[in-house]
Amino acid sequence: MRHTVAKKILVAGAGHGGLIAAALLSKNGYDVTVLERGKKGSVGHDWPVSFDISVLGELNLTLPQSIRLSHCNNMTYVNPRKTIQLTPLIDMPDRFRIEDRELMDVLILNAEKFGAKIIYEVDITGPEVQGNRVVGVSAVKDGENVKYFADLVIDSAGCESPVRSNLPAEMGIEREFCDGQMFYAYRALYERKGKMQPPNAYCLYFFHMNCKGIDSVMTEDDYVDVMIGRFQPADSREINAMLSDLKIDNPHLGKNILRGGETAIIPIRRTLPVFVADGYAAVGDCAGMTNPVFGWGINCALLAGKILAQTVTENKKGDFTVKSLWNYQKKYFYELGSRLAALDKLRQFYYDSEIGDINFLFEKNIISGYELESSADSEFAHIPVLELLGKAIVCSARLPLLIKIIKTARGIKKLEAVSNQIPEKYDRKKVMKWANKYLNT
């Protein structure tokens, strides 16, 4: 390493991207400490997650043979009226389901192998700021107020990060996500009744029971994985009502919860327009690095962690200024962020749609397997804009819907173009001008 005294780096939260950055930076001689709210051995959700294992090769990671992987089933999309079921044949040979806690354990052990220190049961409360620079975080540990200082803080504390949420406004980083930009997903693994094999192993229900959101039922050999997702938190009464209706279509869905039974918060929005500052860089959910339509984000976070570590180690000055960290943000947008940002237009369209519109789009074959396959085949999806516009003419009987489709299709192309116009170098005036254009496209 270039520095005689190892630069101190704090990773706020043991997120996927933060742990990759921690491992790579520790390997390059940096003094890295990860502060995690959870207890040792229980970091992550108590249910399976989906990710593309091809990324492991890029990160020089190998999963232990003891870890069980299962292929992701093709999704069947169900309209609100349940009159149409679409099952696009999506080729995802590298996308698997893995227990989130097992994946987190692998990432933690990898970081520790290279020298990163993990401190558990630390409740981070906010950033420590001197002037215009982040110099550490404040937290509660063992009932005591403590402060941790570092040369760089990597924020991997999720979409409700107390670090990002309390940054000074002058840094130009969005501190809060708006309504419709967070998805509240209740997840539980229920017992499976009998051996009956359902026609479709993985069903996604749009606007289920006329509620704005997406619900899903995935049938595995020894359990049934249920998600009830809303743009606002669902209470227990609503969850129970949804479960009762899902059992009508899925009689093998049992009553008893085997695992889970909690709500996770997932960002579904375009990536933040600015996620670096002096002494600060956000990664993963904290920076909105997900597929805005489906919420998949593990691969995005892992690759972002790698890009961040590369940017830091390539900085000869080791000053961690916003100008030097801008290379991380720029490269992320070039490689992933621009394409994913365009998908945010579909998320906006869905969020603003009426139930009748969704039924109409399914029943008139405007939304078909092709469009669904294009937006779901990976976290780095594309949208068939010209095909979508060609089908939109069918909506002439619904003029407001036709206008929304045309506006969405045009917006997809425009937003991708604006995303790719990210300034080459950090100039605050130019960056803020671009960020404003990016957010309002």
Side-chain angles (χ1 to χ4, degrees), residues 165-341:
S165 299
N166 291 287
L167 291 173
E170 294 76 20
M171 290 185 174
I173 296 175
E174 282 186 77
R175 293 181 291 186
E176 301 292 340
F177 294 170
C178 302
D179 287 345
Q181 295 181 346
M182 291 193 293
F183 195 67
Y184 298 84
Y186 169 85
R187 283 282 299 276
L189 307 187
Y190 287 85
E191 63 178 346
R192 179 176 175 176
K193 292 164 54 179
K195 297 296 182 181
M196 183 198 76
Q197 186 63 33
N200 302 300
Y202 187 8
C203 289
L204 265 71
Y205 297 83
F206 289 84
F207 283 15
H208 181 215
M209 292 184 68
N210 297 333
C211 292
K212 188 165 286 190
I214 297 177
D215 298 348
S216 70
V217 175
M218 178 182 287
T219 303
E220 296 285 6
D221 292 339
D222 47 2
Y223 62 83
V224 182
D225 187 345
V226 175
M227 181 201 73
I228 297 173
R230 297 290 177 269
F231 295 107
Q232 299 290 337
D235 58 27
S236 58
R237 184 167 58 179
E238 181 179 352
I239 290 172
N240 289 331
M242 297 297 154
L243 286 169
S244 296
D245 188 75
L246 289 173
K247 289 177 180 178
I248 297 174
D249 298 326
N250 303 275
H252 58 288
L253 174 57
K255 178 180 179 181
N256 296 325
I257 295 177
L258 304 178
R259 288 191 284 131
E262 299 176 350
T263 298
I265 306 175
I266 306 167
I268 46 169
R269 53 158 294 160
R270 64 192 69 175
T271 304
L272 291 178
V274 180
F275 50 82
V276 294
D278 288 339
Y280 175 89
V283 67
D285 285 1
C286 179
M289 295 176 174
T290 61
N291 178 316
V293 178
F294 293 95
W296 295 332
I298 293 177
N299 283 71
C300 297
L302 294 174
L303 291 173
K306 178 183 176 182
I307 295 170
L308 175 55
Q310 288 175 336
T311 301
V312 170
T313 55
E314 289 170 359
N315 178 22
K316 295 181 180 179
K317 294 182 179 179
D319 52 4
F320 310 127
T321 63
V322 65
K323 289 185 177 181
S324 64
L325 292 170
W326 185 253
N327 288 327
Y328 154 57
Q329 168 153 348
K330 180 184 66 178
K331 190 171 183 181
Y332 178 81
F333 262 84
Y334 284 163
E335 294 193 12
L336 306 174
S338 296
R339 283 174 289 169
L340 289 172

Side-chain angles (χ1 to χ4, degrees), residues 389-426:
L389 281 171
K391 289 185 173 185
I393 194 65
V394 179
C395 298
S396 56
R398 287 180 173 237
L399 186 58
L401 179 58
L402 174 61
I403 293 172
K404 281 198 293 186
I405 290 177
I406 294 174
K407 188 176 180 180
T408 297
R410 289 175 175 172
I412 288 169
K413 300 300 289 184
K414 187 175 181 181
L415 181 53
E416 185 171 4
V418 170
S419 300
N420 283 320
Q421 295 168 4
I422 182 172
E424 183 71 20
K425 296 182 179 180
Y426 185 86

Side-chain angles (χ1 to χ4, degrees), residues 83-208:
T83 54
I84 301 293
Q85 294 186 357
L86 295 173
T87 309
L89 299 178
I90 302 174
D91 185 20
M92 298 187 295
D94 293 322
R95 181 165 287 279
F96 288 83
R97 279 161 59 86
I98 182 175
E99 290 291 334
D100 190 36
R101 288 185 176 173
E102 290 186 345
L103 176 59
M104 296 305 297
D105 285 345
V106 169
L107 297 177
I108 288 171
L109 289 173
N110 183 59
E112 290 180 323
K113 179 178 70 174
F114 293 113
K117 299 176 287 294
I118 317 290
I119 304 178
Y120 296 94
E121 299 182 67
V122 179
D123 188 8
I124 298 171
T125 56
E128 285 294 313
V129 180
Q130 292 181 3
N132 291 321
R133 186 179 185 91
V134 177
V135 296
V137 300
S138 54
V140 176
K141 171 66 175 168
D142 298 328
E144 300 289 334
N145 293 322
V146 293
K147 295 180 180 180
Y148 298 89
F149 293 98
D151 299 294
L152 172 65
V153 173
I154 296 175
D155 194 347
S156 182
C159 59
E160 292 189 308
S161 166
V163 183
R164 191 202 66 240
S165 299
N166 291 287
L167 291 173
E170 294 76 20
M171 290 185 174
I173 296 175
E174 282 186 77
R175 293 181 291 186
E176 301 292 340
F177 294 170
C178 302
D179 287 345
Q181 295 181 346
M182 291 193 293
F183 195 67
Y184 298 84
Y186 169 85
R187 283 282 299 276
L189 307 187
Y190 287 85
E191 63 178 346
R192 179 176 175 176
K193 292 164 54 179
K195 297 296 182 181
M196 183 198 76
Q197 186 63 33
N200 302 300
Y202 187 8
C203 289
L204 265 71
Y205 297 83
F206 289 84
F207 283 15
H208 181 215

